[in-house]
Amino acid sequence: MQAQLIALDWGTTSLRAYKLAAGGQVLEQRSLSSGIMQLPKAGRIINGRECVDGFELAFDEACGDWLDQQPDLPVIACGMVGSAQGWREAAYRDTPANVANLGTALQTVRSLRGVDVHIVPGVIQRSRLPNVMRGEETQVLGVLHNLAGEAGADLLIGLPGSHSKWVEVADGCIVHFDTFMTGEIFAVLSEHSILGRTQQRGGSFDGDAFDRGVQVALSTDGEIGPLSTLFSARSLGLTGELSATAQADYLSGLLIGHELSALACVQRRRRNSVHLPSIILIGNAQLCSRYSRALDACGFSRVTLAEQATERGLWQLALAAGLVAANPHR
């Protein structure tokens, strides 16, 4: 099957490259650690020229051989590659943002290979405390396209990760989203605080410890926040109630529990209802499994997992931009 598009999901710490055929079918994919904050530094010859530009080097490493085989393949990229620290800045689009229309606002950078890389803009929510996303908007589009006839319904889409996003969608538009730095805070506490000193990592997932952390977060009922409950990850270890191998999963459950408790409060207030919305999760399967477990404990009973959201979203944006044809053989 002939390739039609190269699609890049280029974030802070990683670069994922997809070679897509008609309809967005994945022919081949790669994952590199060449995010925008850790680009290659060793120079090499690209298209007959010595190159030391980290973006050019990472781009060539990710898909240079694909372009050697098919030099005319269009390229589209989403994520932090379009940030102010990226290869070329793609200005944010304001909420409410019609995600399907983002394909008409791509920023372009010409690579040393002579290939244009089309970069997807992010989305900004302007308020007293502004919120931004880059890459998640493409995944949201991938979910909406997959839902087809249900795309007009109100949705809450969760994207767990270093900076978890919770995105409200109505009539194909991103209307509101919240960001929680849960994953990054977990990493910082585990690696750079006293809480990590007694942790023993590398064992299998301890569901009981995770559930305990979630329940501690939920039981506070807003009376005290995570800055108080976090110390229990150490004190329970000191009193022998939490083993060293259980402490990391307890801490994970504690942080995710606080995140979802806050999310539930926000959703009830914004919807003026005690009923919580259905949720679609996008992301790493293991992390989404943790979130599904915690969401159930928080009262979010309808949780599903979306697959291949990034690839589908990038294909739809390429269609909107005219980079690929819906029916290439007609």
Side-chain angles (χ1 to χ4, degrees):
M1 188 176 292
Q2 188 80 347
Q4 303 289 326
L5 178 72
I6 291 175
L8 305 176
D9 177 13
W10 203 334
T12 303
T13 58
S14 65
L15 166 57
R16 295 181 179 87
Y18 304 91
K19 183 162 64 171
L20 305 180
Q25 181 176 342
V26 178
L27 298 177
E28 192 175 344
Q29 65 184 69
R30 296 167 177 168
S31 182
L32 293 75
S33 59
S34 301
I36 70 160
M37 299 303 290
Q38 46 195 49
L39 295 166
K41 294 181 173 60
R44 65 171 176 270
I45 303 298
I46 298 177
N47 202 25
R49 296 166 59 184
E50 177 71 23
C51 177
V52 294
D53 182 290
F55 288 102
E56 292 280 4
L57 294 170
F59 177 62
D60 194 68
E61 184 180 355
C63 54
D65 58 332
W66 293 345
L67 290 167
D68 286 338
Q69 298 163 10
Q70 289 181 256
D72 59 342
L73 275 179
V75 180
I76 189 169
C78 70
M80 289 297 289
V81 68
S83 69
Q85 296 77 38
W87 200 352
R88 177 68 55 83
E89 186 171 8
Y92 290 113
R93 311 294 283 187
D94 287 81
T95 55
N98 186 306
V99 286
N101 290 346
L102 295 177
T104 63
L106 304 182
Q107 180 62 257
T108 302
V109 58
R110 174 63 64 93
S111 69
L112 276 180
R113 284 179 162 272
V115 174
D116 287 334
V117 179
H118 301 84
I119 301 175
V120 181
V123 173
I124 185 168
Q125 179 175 281
R126 300 185 191 275
S127 61
R128 184 175 65 87
L129 299 176
N131 223 328
V132 295
M133 66 168 67
R134 284 196 185 274
E136 293 90 354
E137 73 295 319
T138 300
Q139 294 175 302
V140 167
L141 176 59
V143 167
L144 292 182
H145 177 72
N146 203 40
L147 291 173
E150 301 175 47
D154 287 350
L155 295 171
L156 182 60
I157 299 175
L159 302 104
S162 295
H163 301 163
S164 297
K165 305 284 186 185
W166 294 94
V167 185
E168 294 181 29
V169 178
D171 298 321
C173 290
I174 294 174
V175 295
H176 179 87
F177 59 99
D178 296 293
T179 303
F180 295 82
M181 291 181 62
T182 308
E184 185 167 349
I185 295 299
F186 174 81
V188 169
L189 290 173
S190 295
E191 297 168 15
H192 302 290
S193 84
I194 197 167
L195 299 184
R197 297 289 181 86
T198 54
Q199 288 182 8
Q200 186 175 322
R201 307 289 291 275
S204 58
F205 173 61
D206 191 326
D208 290 339
F210 178 82
D211 293 341
R212 184 177 184 178
V214 171
Q215 289 303 323
V216 168
L218 298 183
S219 66
T220 63
D221 197 28
E223 297 172 5
I224 57 175
L227 291 181
S228 177
T229 60
L230 283 173
F231 193 68
S232 64
R234 174 170 173 78
S235 62
L236 287 171
L238 294 176
T239 58
E241 298 175 66
L242 200 63
S243 70
T245 57
Q247 288 173 26
D249 287 320
Y250 173 81
L251 177 61
S252 172
L254 195 60
L255 288 169
I256 291 174
H258 277 295
E259 174 187 340
L260 299 184
S261 177
L263 177 70
C265 290
V266 168
Q267 286 299 309
R268 289 187 175 108
R269 184 174 66 249
R270 283 182 56 80
R271 295 167 185 268
N272 194 26
S273 172
V274 297
H275 300 292
L276 293 171
S278 299
I279 284 178
I280 299 175
L281 291 179
I282 308 170
N284 173 273
Q286 290 183 332
L287 184 57
C288 284
S289 177
R290 288 180 182 242
Y291 270 80
S292 294
R293 190 175 182 126
L295 283 163
D296 184 62
C298 291
F300 291 89
S301 57
R302 295 163 294 171
V303 180
T304 56
L305 180 63
E307 297 179 348
Q308 296 186 312
T310 305
E311 305 94 296
R312 289 171 176 162
L314 284 167
W315 178 263
Q316 291 303 313
L317 290 171
L319 276 175
L323 300 179
V324 295
N327 299 296
H329 301 300
R330 291 187 180 179

